[in-house]
């Protein structure tokens, strides 16, 4: 608590602040007393400060009922009695004999247990609950006394088990005798949770024995909750049943993972599952119990799979099969006469769906890892050295196929389109990874996987449901990419796989019955595979990367020619073709061959210009102009040309021609929009170069051109030529006269420049109004120009 102030200064500030707060508090208290006196003197209308007026005056609020002195005394007496009993037991127990001890505890326990009956007759229920709690505590002390005096050599854990059972029974009977008390029933339920787990611990049972004791106690709790209608018993019994049952299932699941193939964990999980189903069968609102029961039965089936190589995915497959069986049984039970309660059916369906979903996520994660591993071939393309990557095994394929069946099952928890899409994804992943086994020939793997891709593509084209079509299309795209990566290990495989996939994409794009999005994806794939084949052919021919980029431009040209005939997919094809063109330019740029880069830019500009001949693609004319200009600049740079006019005029002349055509079609168009860009591109680079040019030719030519533009603008009444030409002409004149002005200023007397400046200010000030009118007329005249 460091402070920048000295301690004395800070203490004075705190004292002053406390004094102000105390004064304010005194004022507020006096004001409150005055308001209370005023409100107390005023009559309050009936209903004015009822429940609808939460901020009524204090006089209108009914005072809370105060506890009677009798209740306070009785509660205090009960507490003191409990404290005295504890002190007596812990401190003074050894000073009495056996008889005295028994007599004292018996009297205290009998008094504490008998008092609540009299208190209830007088309507003191809260006090009776407190005294009953003291009596229950004394019974625990009685049990401890019996153990310490009568059975000193007995096993403590076993005795605790028996004592808990006796106390639970006694408390239950006591609570039934005094039905208005809730504490004895609650204490009886709590004590009933201890006998079986303590007995298992006393018998030296292992984790499975403890789990069985917990599960048996949970079953007894569930039976008690079902049999007894009293809320004070049902609620804690249900809570205890859920907690102990969950603990037992956790023990069984942990042991099943630690001991694969052991029957004990499987039996424990199966028993827990049956308990959950039985509870849901009895309670219509307990579908969660059936869900937990189903989730317990499934691991029980997987726990029977023995440990071994590849057994993990077979265990997953068995669990998914159990989930499929659960879902099928629930669906069949729901379609019959209705003998199976709805809570059981819903719980089992959800359990099956949950297990299938977990299996799907785990399986698809393993598939993704196997597919990503194929990217290692990119380190050395066409090396024919990458071994066939092994997949997760046949167990994964079986698990995914079973999961697909569980998700596709009619009457499941998922909507039909979502279930169909999920089933397609699972089946495609299973069949695609099934042949990925070491030792299989590459052609066989490629054949199977291309067949899976083709089947997914056909489903994407012909599936009536959009969700299924999109899912199949996604599977086809991912599979095609994976096969393409694997095919890059060999030249023959590359051409065969790329050619087949490209042809399949072209057929899909041309299929008019397919969804537009699917056709668009096929069109993009066809363009991509065509470009890849062109680059591969260039590599086989030994062409350098720059000339492969030249060959790749043929793909956008072909796409631009075919796009008008493809209808809805032409936009996707043109976008893919534009991407290929950008990649070709980037490839040529990365190769560093400047003349070939100029050729690639020119060819790309020609493709854009050809596409711009169509009415709906006129905007590509600007792209063609940019590409042609870039090609010309790159070519000039390759020739070593450094004159800026050589770069500026090829741009300015076409732009001015376009502006002239626009002015002819629209005489009202502004000269800035028509001629401004072209004139700026023509004049500004030369003006910048002229300011650093030591020779006279460029300033002379630029000044002549600027003068001609100024005169033409004045004659044609056009703003852009007039102002741009005049500004450039003035800048050139200033550049040419600057040396002479500097020389003249150097020979003048020092007093002459200030004198001339003052004279100029006097003249301007004397004729200020006239100059202002002249400026306004000039501005208006310029504003009337186009």
């Amino acid at each position: 608590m460091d402070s920048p102030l000295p301690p004395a200064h800070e203490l004075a500030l705190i004292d002053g602040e406390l004094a102000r707060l105390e004064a304010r508090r005194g004022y507020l208290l006096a004001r409150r007393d005055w308001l209370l006196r005023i409100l107390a003197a005023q009559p309050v209308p009936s209903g004015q400060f009822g429940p609808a007026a939460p901020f009524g005056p204090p006089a209108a609020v009914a005072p809370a009922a105060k506890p009677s002195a009798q209740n306070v005394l009785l509660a205090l007496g009960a507490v003191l009695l409990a404290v005295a009993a504890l002190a007596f037991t812990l401190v003074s127990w050894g000073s009495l004999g056996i008889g005295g001890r028994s007599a004292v505890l018996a009297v205290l326990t009998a008094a504490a247990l008998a008092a609540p009956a009299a208190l209830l007759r007088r309507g003191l229920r809260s006090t009776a609950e407190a005294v009953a709690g003291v009596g229950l505590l004394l019974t625990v002390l009685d049990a401890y006394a019996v153990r310490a005096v009568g059975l000193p050599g007995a096993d403590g854990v076993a005795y605790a088990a028996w004592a808990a059972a006796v106390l639970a029974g006694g408390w239950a009977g006591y609570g039934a005798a005094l039905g208005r008390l809730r504490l004895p029933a609650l204490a009886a339920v709590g004590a009933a949770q201890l006998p079986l787990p303590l007995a298992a611990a006393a018998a030296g049972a292992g984790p499975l024995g403890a789990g069985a004791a917990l599960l048996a106690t949970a079953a007894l709790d569930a039976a008690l909750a079902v049999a007894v209608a009293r809320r004070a018993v049902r609620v804690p019994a249900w809570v205890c049943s859920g907690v102990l049952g969950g603990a037992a299932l956790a023990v069984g699941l942990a042991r099943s993972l630690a001991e694969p193939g052991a029957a004990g964990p499987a039996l424990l999980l199966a028993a827990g599952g049956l308990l959950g189903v039985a509870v849901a069968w009895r309670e219509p609102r307990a579908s969660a119990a059936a869900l937990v029961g189903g989730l317990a039965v499934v691991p029980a089936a997987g726990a029977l799979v023995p440990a071994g190589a590849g057994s993990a995915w077979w265990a997953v497959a068995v669990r998914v099969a159990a989930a499929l069986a659960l879902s099928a049984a629930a669906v069949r039970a729901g379609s019959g006469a209705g003998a199976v309660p709805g809570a059981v059916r819903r719980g089992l369906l959800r359990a099956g769906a949950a297990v299938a979903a977990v299996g799907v996520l785990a399986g698809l994660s393993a598939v993704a890892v196997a597919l990503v591993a194929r990217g290692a071939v990119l380190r050395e393309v066409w090396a024919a050295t990458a071994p066939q990557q092994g997949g997760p095994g046949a167990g994964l394929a079986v698990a995914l196929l079973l999961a697909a069946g569980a998700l596709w099952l009619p009457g499941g928890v998922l909507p039909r389109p979502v279930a169909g899409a999920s089933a397609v994804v699972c089946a495609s992943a299973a069949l695609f990874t099934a042949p990925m086994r070491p030792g299989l020939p590459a052609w066989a793997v490629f054949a199977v996987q291309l067949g899976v891709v083709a089947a997914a593509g056909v489903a994407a084209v012909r599936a009536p449901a959009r969700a299924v079509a999109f899912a199949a299309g996604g599977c086809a795209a991912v599979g095609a990419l994976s096969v393409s990566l694997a095919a890059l290990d060999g030249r023959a495989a590359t051409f065969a796989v790329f050619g087949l996939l490209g042809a399949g994409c072209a057929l899909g794009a041309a299929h008019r019955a397919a969804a537009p999005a699917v056709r668009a994806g096929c069109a993009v794939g066809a363009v991509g595979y065509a470009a890849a084949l062109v680059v591969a052919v260039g590599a086989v021919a030994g062409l350098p990367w720059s000339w492969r980029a030249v060959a790749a431009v043929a793909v956008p040209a072909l796409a631009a020619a075919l796009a008008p005939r493809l209808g809805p997919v032409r936009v996707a094809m043109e976008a893919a073709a534009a991407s290929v063109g950008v990649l070709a330019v980037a490839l040529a740029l990365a190769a560093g061959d400047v003349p070939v880069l100029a050729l690639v830019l020119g060819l790309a500009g020609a493709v854009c210009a050809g596409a711009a001949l169509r009415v709906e693609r006129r905007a590509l004319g600007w792209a063609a102009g940019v590409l042609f200009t870039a090609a010309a600049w790159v070519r000039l740079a390759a020739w070593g040309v450094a004159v800026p006019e050589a770069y500026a005029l090829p741009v300015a002349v076409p732009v001015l021609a376009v502006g002239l055509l626009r002015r002819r079609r629209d005489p009202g168009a502004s000269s800035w929009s028509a001629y401004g860009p072209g004139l700026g591109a023509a004049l500004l680079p030369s003006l910048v170069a002229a300011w650093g040019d030591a020779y006279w030719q460029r300033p002379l030519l630029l000044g002549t051109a600027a003068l001609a533009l100024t005169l033409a603008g004045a004659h044609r009444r056009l703003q852009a030529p007039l102002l741009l030409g005049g500004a450039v002409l003035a800048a050139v004149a200033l550049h040419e006269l600057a040396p002479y002005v500097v020389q003249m200023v150097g020979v003048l007397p020092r007093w002459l420049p200030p004198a001339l400046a003052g004279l100029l200010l006097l003249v301007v000030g004397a004729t200020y109004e006239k100059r202002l009118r002249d400026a306004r007329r000039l501005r208006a005249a310029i504003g009337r120009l186009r």
Side-chain angles (χ1 to χ4, degrees), residues 567-656:
V569 300
R570 69 171 183 268
V571 176
M573 176 170 280
E574 289 172 343
S579 301
V580 173
V582 172
L583 291 177
V585 172
L587 188 62
L589 183 62
D593 194 338
V594 179
V596 178
L597 176 60
L599 177 60
V600 172
L601 291 171
L603 292 175
V607 173
C608 291
L613 296 177
R614 294 169 16 217
V615 177
E616 69 276 9
R617 293 292 180 265
R618 290 292 173 83
L620 291 176
W622 294 100
V626 171
L627 289 171
F628 282 139
T629 301
W633 287 356
V634 171
R635 185 72 264 181
L636 290 174
W639 286 337
V641 176
V643 179
E645 289 79 8
Y647 294 88
L649 292 179
V651 178
V653 172
V655 175
L656 288 173

Side-chain angles (χ1 to χ4, degrees), residues 50 219 333 477 555 584 661 674 682 749 785:
V555 175
L661 292 176
L785 302 179

Side-chain angles (χ1 to χ4, degrees), residues 257-273:
L257 295 177
E259 303 175 7
L267 291 176
L268 181 59
L269 291 172

